[in-house]
Amino acid sequence: MRRTRFLAIIGASGLLCALALPGQAETFNVGRLLCFSSPRIGMVVGSTQSLRCVFYARRPPREYVYEGRIRRVGLDFGVTSAGTLSWAVFAKNSRIGSATLRGNYVGASGNVAFGPGLGANVLIGGSRRSVMLQPLSIERSIGLNLAAGVTNLTLGPRGRR
């Protein structure tokens, strides 16, 4: 039973990766999204982390701040400290504004940490599914963790501080 569930999660993750690959339509590299995450405790079947993100637009050079939450469902076991995630951002057009990246992204992720750790996330979504966080995020953290599964990232407006 557990093996079947695990294989179903891996299969769904592979399917999401295939769907997240860019198609024939032309896309533009519009900048980089850098997110700073809170510490995470894996709860065996999933985890949740708060994020504070900055989008660095290429043309014109501007910075947009977002707050977010990343949820993982699948194998997630261990503890990590606060970390960073970095994505190249691709869009269907080159016009970027302060709300362009707001929305929900879904895809597959995996990471391993034994002391220093690395991870990868492939996500698609955003405003009218016109933004891709591709090809892979680079996730850096410190801890003891093993995670693989389906990931949901929600980006919204910056909260009041």
Side-chain angles (χ1 to χ4, degrees):
M1 177 97 169
R2 288 184 187 173
R3 181 184 281 185
T4 304
R5 206 177 303 162
F6 182 72
L7 290 174
I9 290 171
I10 296 297
S13 299
L15 179 62
L16 286 172
C17 282
L19 293 174
L21 293 174
Q24 296 288 342
E26 184 177 357
T27 58
F28 299 90
N29 184 345
V30 295
R32 175 153 308 278
L33 180 66
L34 183 62
C35 295
F36 304 94
S37 66
S38 62
R40 179 177 84 208
I41 298 175
M43 303 303 242
V44 181
V45 293
S47 65
T48 300
Q49 282 179 290
S50 297
L51 301 173
R52 181 130 177 110
C53 303
V54 179
F55 172 62
Y56 298 94
R58 293 179 78 177
R59 292 185 194 123
R62 293 202 176 146
E63 295 179 11
Y64 301 106
V65 179
Y66 296 90
E67 287 191 358
R69 182 163 304 278
I70 192 164
R71 294 173 184 90
R72 292 182 175 97
V73 177
L75 174 67
D76 195 347
F77 185 73
V79 177
T80 58
S81 66
T84 59
L85 293 95
S86 176
W87 281 279
V89 179
F90 292 86
K92 290 182 180 178
N93 67 54
S94 60
R95 294 173 45 174
I96 298 296
S98 62
T100 303
L101 270 59
R102 291 181 187 173
N104 288 304
Y105 299 81
V106 68
S109 68
N111 62 45
V112 174
F114 187 70
L118 290 173
N121 300 282
V122 179
L123 303 175
I124 187 169
S127 176
R128 296 185 196 110
R129 293 194 141 337
S130 63
V131 176
M132 290 182 289
L133 304 179
Q134 282 274 351
L136 294 174
S137 76
I138 306 301
E139 183 174 354
R140 293 183 302 186
S141 61
I142 295 180
L144 180 59
N145 189 57
L146 173 64
V150 177
T151 299
N152 173 262
L153 169 66
T154 303
L155 289 177
R158 174 179 53 178
R160 295 182 185 243
R161 296 251 167 192

